[in-house]
Amino acid sequence: MSALRSVIDFAIGDAQAEKAVPPTGFTVRLTVFSAAAMAFLVVFALALSLAAGRLADRWSDELARSATVRISAPVEQMAAQTEAALNVLRTTEGVESARALTLEEQRELLAPWFGPELPLDALPLPQMIEVIETASGFDGDGLRLRLAGEVPGAVLDNHARWRGPLVSAASSLRLLGWVSIILIAFATGAMITLAANAALAANAQVIAVMRLVGARDSYIAQAFMRRFTLRALAGAAAGTVFGALALLLLPSASEEGGFLTGLGLQGAHWLLLILIPILAAVVAFLATRLAAHNTLRSLT
Amino acid sequence: MAHSYSGGELFNEVSLRLAPGSFHFLTGPSGSGKTTFLKLCYGALVPSSGVVRIFDDDVRQMSRDDIALARRRVGVVHQDCQFLDHLSLQENLALPLTVSGHEALDDYANLKELMGWVGLTSRADALPPELSGGERQRAALARALIMSPDVILADEPTGNVDWEMSQRLLTLLIELNRMGKTIMIATHDLGLIRAAKNHVQARVLRISERRLQLAGADL
Ligand SMILES: Nc1ncnc2c1ncn2[C@@H]1O[C@H](COP(=O)(O)OP(=O)(O)OP(=O)(O)O)[C@@H](O)[C@H]1O
Ligand SMILES: [Mg+2]
């Protein structure tokens, strides 16, 4: 509670203290600009991270469940071949379960391509068998050979497998996004430290006068901290808004676009953007505080 | 205590106690170390050897915050005045109040009165660079007094003002001394010292040959 109180005190602040330090011109503009640019970048790094995360999750979900066996056979053999295929699958190592899809389920799968009115009974549809692998998975080539021997009409389709490397790529991309955010935070801190040091050096005389009339270091430091923190907050807020607008202008998620679409944020993730200006303010606060206390300690 | 800059030794074996309520003048040729001596007195410098105590605390043992707090009890009139050029005169005079967190209205009423005293009411909104040398000096004195300090250290407070104004400032300082404030004025204006001696029991110290000597009755 008292922490919150002191944050509020700081934000409302001692405008007098800040006034005692003359406008610091370019250092403050530099802070606003770099905070805005960095926030803009963080919006994208965040969107990239979250989108890559979503992709990795979805793909690995699909991976977990999807391998299919398709049986194309004359109608009178269909039931027998299906039963034979299921038998083969049940005795295959690495298959957790196998289940023939019902007519209803097959209709649903086809609806996107042929519409819901599809007269399934009239069409010689292949029978689909959904295969769920165990964590270790099955030997695709071995299974294919066995099926070829015992169920002539069966085709094993485990194409989802090749997504394995993609999933790990998406996971790395997510990690990369987070690492970028951390690097940007440090770069922002470094830039604000430079700006604050420049401001402190430019105001050595002002600091000396304030010391002479009895100002404590913490009071003087606060004048600088408040200024840089509020400017970083404002700059980062503007940068975040621009970044968010840019995200809104990106095409939304679609199947055809694959990975490149759907880079935007979804649902509650938009709320994460609020954290960006706050993070910038915290970084500015800490950087300026360190710079101010280091400078002040070296003065009489 | 003794003090030396890189250029050489300014004092050796200087020993002085400013008794509460006392009135001192500090004289000596230009470059003899008057300003340096005052800086040692308010903790802006630490002596090269020996001890300086401010209100009984050894400067060397004091934290930076301790020194800041001690300075609120010591009003200093700087030789080169030292204002913040981007603040108005009035804001500059209030600076000691501002930095010590005084928000009380009577402090500011005090400010108005002080400005009247040093004849600067009409210049309240001027920026320091727009003031004349004498106005700046009067302002520096007003700023030194705003916190009602126990001790007033004034470095050439009358260097740039006419005789009449210097008499007024002196009268103000003597008045403050009667109220119990400890006062030390560094000056080489012997006329000022003579004028003061008619009204107040003042000791005159002279820096010579790296020591403090009590000046004789020739003044
Ligand atoms: N920061 C410093 N570093 C080195 N030498 C200094 C420093 N400050 C002052 N001095 C030297 O110390 C000597 C005393 O300076 P000081 O300002 O105390 O003299 P002063 O008696 O006040 O002179 P004035 O009457 O001209 O004001 C001078 O020779 C000056 O050049
Ligand atoms: Mg001097």
Side-chain angles (χ1 to χ4, degrees), chain A residues 166-233:
Chain A
L166 283 186
V167 169
S168 65
S171 302
S172 318
L173 211 54
R174 162 164 54 183
L175 184 67
L176 219 61
W178 288 114
V179 170
S180 306
I181 290 173
I182 292 170
L183 287 180
I184 292 172
F186 275 104
T188 309
M191 218 169 312
I192 290 175
T193 303
L194 287 179
N197 275 328
L200 286 159
N203 285 296
Q205 185 60 28
V206 169
I207 293 171
V209 172
M210 288 174 79
R211 284 286 303 171
L212 284 176
V213 298
R216 293 189 214 211
D217 285 354
S218 55
Y219 182 89
I220 301 171
Q222 213 212 19
F224 287 91
M225 280 152 60
R226 197 176 115 85
R227 177 168 301 176
F228 281 94
T229 303
L230 294 183
R231 297 306 193 280
L233 184 68

Side-chain angles (χ1 to χ4, degrees), chain A residues 29-77:
Chain A
R29 287 199 294 277
L30 184 69
T31 304
V32 174
F33 174 76
S34 53
M38 294 303 192
F40 192 83
L41 294 179
V42 168
V43 170
F44 286 99
L46 189 67
L48 180 73
S49 254
L50 294 173
R54 278 198 302 273
L55 216 53
D57 289 347
R58 198 170 73 221
W59 283 351
S60 55
D61 259 12
E62 283 173 9
L63 266 190
R65 67 177 134 72
S66 69
T68 46
V69 170
R70 193 170 67 243
I71 295 166
S72 320
V75 187
E76 61 278 10
Q77 289 177 26

